Amino acid sequence: MNPRIVYLLGLTLAWLAPTLYAAEPVMFDKTKTYCFGRYLVDIPVEAELKGQGNNYYAASIKSGKGMPDFTARMNAALTKRKNEPGKHGFKYVKSVYPEGGDRQIVVGKADLWGSTAYSIDAFVRMSLQKTGAGQFFYLSEEGLPANDIDAIVDNYRQILAAIRYRGEREIPSEPGFCIANGVIANDGKTPQAENASLAFQLKKNPDVWIRIESNVLFRSQPSL
């Protein structure tokens, strides 16, 4: 396996007021733990979570809740691909799963000036019998290579099957990659680029923001 390089950009504080310096020891006396990507971080209790981002297998995974929104987003993707007017737009090829289920992968295809490329719109909804019922996750990617599309579709199948619901402060008991409202069960041994970030604002010092980001990159040459 290729070596992994991890960059952690931690605790970026902006607009530091002079009074904040004296309060720092007290501010970190009480903390709360968050999971992001493959890491845990302790944040001051007074910090409020304002944003959470990720990039997993080259796509950003977003979340929503409720059957109406899930159905609307999935239908919008189907409509977009089936009615793509552009000459070089990604047009509908197939849906991987039967209609009406709790997951779907919509595959599109485009002729990009003589080169064939594919798109994927993927959706998965938590079963009504499981924790987090009604929560759903979705991701979209375009410009995928034609020679790898079957393997890419299989990877998306695995991603959808591995997504679990997770509460905002819940720490998973199994190895995985934490995203907003969820975790992707995965041991991290497969080489791939991953990114995760959290953004917080201090309640008593609203001009102060804390941003934490991790970037995991793989490369063939040995690391330093």
Side-chain angles (χ1 to χ4, degrees), residues 3 13 35-36 52 54 65 70 112 131 133 143 151 159 189 215:
L13 303 183
C35 178
F36 76 112
Q52 187 168 355
N54 71 77
K65 190 170 185 179
F70 174 74
L112 302 181
T131 303
I159 291 172
K189 294 180 180 179
N215 288 285

Side-chain angles (χ1 to χ4, degrees), residues 34-45:
Y34 287 86
C35 178
F36 76 112
R38 300 189 185 276
Y39 303 95
L40 299 179
V41 62
D42 291 331
I43 297 296
V45 170

Side-chain angles (χ1 to χ4, degrees), residues 102-103 124-135:
D102 61 2
R103 66 190 61 189
V124 62
R125 177 174 58 89
M126 299 297 98
S127 168
L128 296 178
Q129 286 73 43
K130 294 183 179 180
T131 303
Q135 191 78 43

Side-chain angles (χ1 to χ4, degrees), residues 6 18 22 26 33 51-53 60 72 76 80 131 134 137 143 145 152 189 194 214:
V6 180
V26 176
T33 303
Q52 187 168 355
S60 177
K80 177 182 177 181
T131 303
F137 302 88
I152 291 171
K189 294 180 180 179
E194 298 175 351
S214 73

